[in-house]
Amino acid sequence: MKKTATVVAASGIMALSIGCAAIAQDSSHQGHGAATATAAATAPSKVVDLINAQGQSAGRVTLKQGPSGLLMVVEAQGLTPGWHGIHLHATAQCEAPFTSAGAHINHADPKVPHGLLNAAGPDDGDLPNIFADANGVAKAELFTTRARLAGNYPGQDLMDDDGSAIIIHANADDHTSQPIGGAGDRVACATIKHH
């Protein structure tokens, strides 16, 4: 079967898109599959709803905790066509214009600057850009080792006392300039919290 894959990775953060007709399982991993399925069944997951600045539905993000990091499945709508920055923010508040979500999760001491391509970065909230098609729909899988839903997994706890948020920006993130890579206005938001 023909299989194509595109991978972008930097400092524990990855965007992955795979297209294929079928994927055959390597027989050397058959015993490992049962253990992986059990671990996946007990790992936390959460679905959060995105809203736009008018309070209307803008899609959803499914967060799935893995043993080495967090997988985020983004299904967004109502965006302008093209690339958009997407980041993890420090507070579970989505009051338009979404500045209530605060800055990025960035609890390292000392604080590190923004940018996946910044030699001194990235901060813990940085993620690869997502792309919206001509209809304003974006679908992507993002992976980060810098954030977690719970427990003893790697990264910052997204469901701490004040929760956290996922923010989609109006423009692409250049992954270098400060403070947010020129990503512009916050156009969609989802809260991540216990209730």
Side-chain angles (χ1 to χ4, degrees):
M1 298 293 168
K2 186 173 179 184
K3 169 167 74 167
T4 60
T6 304
V7 178
V8 179
S11 267
I13 301 164
M14 182 180 346
L16 175 63
S17 174
I18 299 177
C20 60
I23 299 174
Q25 183 176 355
D26 181 340
S27 61
S28 65
H29 296 297
Q30 286 178 351
H32 181 68
T36 303
T38 302
T42 59
S45 65
K46 189 166 192 65
V47 177
V48 295
D49 294 320
L50 289 160
I51 59 168
N52 63 21
Q54 292 73 43
Q56 300 165 330
S57 174
R60 67 183 185 175
V61 179
T62 303
L63 302 117
K64 299 176 183 179
Q65 183 66 61
S68 63
L70 186 66
L71 180 67
M72 302 169 58
V73 181
V74 180
E75 299 170 281
Q77 61 198 29
L79 301 173
T80 57
W83 292 98
H84 294 268
I86 181 171
H87 304 127
L88 295 168
H89 285 251
T91 307
Q93 291 186 22
C94 285
E95 297 165 11
F98 307 136
T99 53
S100 57
H104 291 188
I105 59 168
N106 192 15
H107 304 302
D109 192 18
K111 301 284 187 268
V112 296
H114 169 79
L116 295 177
L117 300 177
N118 189 321
D123 70 43
D124 292 329
D126 289 341
L127 295 167
N129 290 317
I130 60 173
F131 184 81
D133 66 17
N135 296 316
V137 174
K139 293 184 179 182
E141 285 189 337
L142 309 176
F143 184 83
T144 180
T145 60
R146 297 179 175 275
R148 70 179 190 271
L149 283 179
N152 295 321
Y153 299 100
Q156 301 297 327
D157 185 2
L158 295 179
M159 295 202 297
D160 57 9
D161 290 343
D162 61 357
S164 57
I166 299 166
I167 297 287
I168 299 177
H169 291 267
N171 306 317
D173 179 348
D174 66 20
H175 302 301
T176 304
S177 60
Q178 303 303 306
I180 58 167
D185 292 342
R186 302 175 182 197
V187 296
C189 181
T191 59
I192 306 168
K193 53 188 178 180
H194 287 291
H195 299 293

